[in-house]
Amino acid sequence: MLFKQQALLRQKLFVLGSLAIGSVLYLVARVGTLDRLQPICPIESKFSTPEPEQIPLRTLQFKRGMLHELQRSNVTKEQIRPHTLVQQLPRAIIIGVRKGGTRALLEMLNLHPAVVKASQEIHFFDNDKNYARGIEWYREKMPFSFPHQITIEKSPAYFITEEVPERIFKMNSSIKLLIIVREPITRAVSDYTQVLEGKERKNKTYHKFEKLAVNSNTCEVNTKYKAVRTSIYTKHLERWLKYFPVEQFHIVDGDRLITDPLPELQLVEHFLNLPSRISQYNLYFNVTRGFYCLRFNFVFSKCLAGSKGRIHPDVDSAVVTKLQKFFHPFNQKFYQITGRTFSWP
């Protein structure tokens, strides 16, 4: 009888121990998410919710403390290893395109519990000085994550920099590459608007978009102007295809990500072989900002920086028509290569 009671007690202790470890691991995973959130935008609702107290979360120290507690218990090394925090090289990179929506895409993918993002643009592969520092320097710039999670970084300059495809190939020839694009003229004007704002902030003058986009001597489209050149997507993609098969690229519709983000995010989840976890609950339209914001839970939400969604200057219709004719053959080739068609004029 005593033996049966002891066996029953051991069984209960085992169940309670398993539940305790499971709870700890859940907290470890979620705190990492909470720590990167800021209650920037209020969730629009007819119910007013009091603002939560701002509790300082020291994520890394907390996680290490929890792991230390696990190690002190009778958990085996094999059981601990999958829950050990590491700095992993990215298994997917958002390589472009500038002003295509790279920041929005990264932040939205960060809603997924299996995705961990590098907060800053690393510029490892497109910057010779950074690249000379070596792959371990690059790894140390990555966030801490669990082995089952995917680390993603974004640096839009990668797409248009000649040396980058070969450098990324040398790091990981099977890496997944994300390219988010917008209608080429819209993207070029957005690019111009960002530069213009920076000039005005420094009280500097800047040419009108029309003068930069069209050569005044030849009246032809000025392909030396970077904003125009970046929008010739197929030219840059062809350079990447010398190193990676087209199957390793996924093209994201940046215009659709603004108006209806969930379908685009679900396509990316499938491309990255992730279970579908991002839902409509995680995305809500903020009328004041004019675009979708992110909802992580009933307390925390996040909108992109106020610099997103700048008002574009009006562009002369004759210049727009000229640019449409110029980009059309490049767009058609881009559709053919990628297998994805857009309703660009």
Side-chain angles (χ1 to χ4, degrees):
M1 183 68 175
L2 180 60
F3 176 77
K4 288 184 177 181
Q5 290 177 340
Q6 290 176 338
L8 183 60
L9 179 61
R10 284 196 298 271
Q11 186 177 9
K12 289 181 177 179
L13 288 173
F14 176 78
V15 172
L16 289 172
S18 300
L19 289 172
I21 291 172
S23 300
V24 167
L25 295 177
Y26 174 79
L27 286 172
V28 167
R30 294 313 299 166
V31 166
T33 300
L34 295 178
D35 192 33
R36 13 179 228 262
L37 306 181
Q38 298 177 6
I40 298 173
C41 291
I43 300 175
E44 295 178 354
S45 172
K46 62 182 179 179
F47 301 104
S48 59
T49 306
E51 291 186 6
E53 294 183 4
Q54 293 187 357
I55 304 173
L57 298 174
R58 302 185 180 277
T59 310
L60 185 55
Q61 291 87 339
F62 178 82
K63 291 178 178 180
R64 284 174 174 168
M66 292 300 99
L67 290 170
H68 179 65
E69 291 300 317
L70 286 173
Q71 290 166 345
R72 288 178 58 187
S73 64
N74 292 325
V75 181
T76 65
K77 290 183 178 180
E78 287 72 21
Q79 290 172 309
I80 293 176
R81 190 171 293 113
H83 311 292
T84 302
L85 286 164
V86 292
Q87 286 174 293
Q88 303 184 82
L89 291 172
R91 282 188 271 168
I93 299 178
I94 301 172
I95 60 173
V97 176
R98 172 181 159 88
K99 307 312 300 174
T102 57
R103 173 57 61 182
L105 177 60
L106 183 67
E107 296 293 342
M108 289 179 178
L109 290 178
N110 196 45
L111 289 164
H112 199 290
V115 170
V116 180
K117 70 178 176 72
S119 297
Q120 303 298 322
E121 293 180 9
I122 311 299
H123 288 285
F124 177 64
F125 297 102
D126 66 311
N127 184 298
D128 291 340
K129 184 178 178 180
N130 287 343
Y131 189 68
R133 289 169 170 163
I135 201 71
E136 287 309 309
W137 179 89
Y138 182 53
R139 187 196 302 274
E140 289 171 3
K141 295 295 181 182
M142 295 299 127
F144 282 87
S145 62
F146 293 115
H148 72 278
Q149 293 177 309
I150 294 177
T151 298
I152 299 179
E153 77 121 324
K154 73 102 174 174
S155 293
Y158 288 169
F159 185 59
I160 63 172
T161 305
E162 189 171 345
E163 299 83 6
V164 171
E166 182 179 6
R167 289 175 174 179
I168 292 182
F169 180 83
K170 288 179 179 178
M171 179 191 73
N172 182 358
S173 61
S174 61
I175 197 166
K176 304 223 170 184
L177 302 165
L178 295 162
I179 306 173
I180 180 167
V181 295
R182 297 190 67 189
E183 190 278 316
I185 302 172
T186 302
R187 195 222 62 81
V189 174
S190 180
D191 199 332
Y192 166 83
T193 305
Q194 178 171 304
V195 175
L196 175 65
E197 184 180 279
K199 297 283 187 182
E200 290 177 341
R201 199 181 301 120
K202 297 176 182 177
N203 294 318
K204 293 183 178 180
T205 58
Y206 196 49
H207 293 297
K208 292 187 67 175
F209 175 80
E210 292 87 342
K211 187 173 180 63
L212 294 169
V214 177
N215 187 313
S216 57
N217 295 323
T218 64
C219 292
E220 298 297 329
V221 172
N222 181 16
T223 56
K224 293 182 179 180
Y225 177 40
K226 190 175 180 180
V228 168
R229 194 168 65 250
T230 300
S231 286
I232 309 175
Y233 304 138
T234 185
K235 289 290 187 182
H236 306 293
L237 182 58
E238 286 173 341
R239 184 189 311 119
W240 284 83
L241 290 172
K242 294 176 183 178
Y243 295 91
F244 300 96
V246 70
E247 293 77 19
Q248 282 178 232
F249 296 88
H250 178 73
I251 309 300
V252 180
D253 186 340
D255 294 307
R256 192 182 183 199
L257 193 74
I258 296 171
T259 59
D260 188 18
L262 184 58
E264 288 299 314
L265 296 173
Q266 290 173 334
L267 289 172
V268 177
E269 285 179 321
H270 179 73
F271 173 70
L272 296 177
N273 297 319
L274 295 173
S276 181
R277 292 289 182 271
I278 302 173
S279 68
Q280 197 62 57
Y281 170 81
N282 301 118
L283 304 160
Y284 70 96
F285 188 78
N286 185 291
V287 177
T288 304
R289 303 295 293 273
F291 48 77
Y292 280 87
C293 294
L294 317 180
R295 181 189 288 123
F296 292 83
N297 54 42
F298 71 95
V299 174
F300 292 97
S301 64
K302 181 174 185 177
C303 288
L304 297 179
S307 61
K308 304 300 179 184
R310 296 180 181 90
I311 297 175
H312 293 180
D314 293 328
V315 179
D316 184 273
S317 59
V319 172
V320 171
T321 301
K322 183 180 288 291
L323 288 170
Q324 287 175 347
K325 291 179 180 178
F326 171 80
F327 282 120
H328 181 74
F330 296 111
N331 294 341
Q332 294 300 312
K333 191 170 184 179
F334 185 71
Y335 303 159
Q336 184 181 5
I337 293 172
T338 63
R340 183 155 196 186
T341 303
F342 300 93
S343 55
W344 299 337

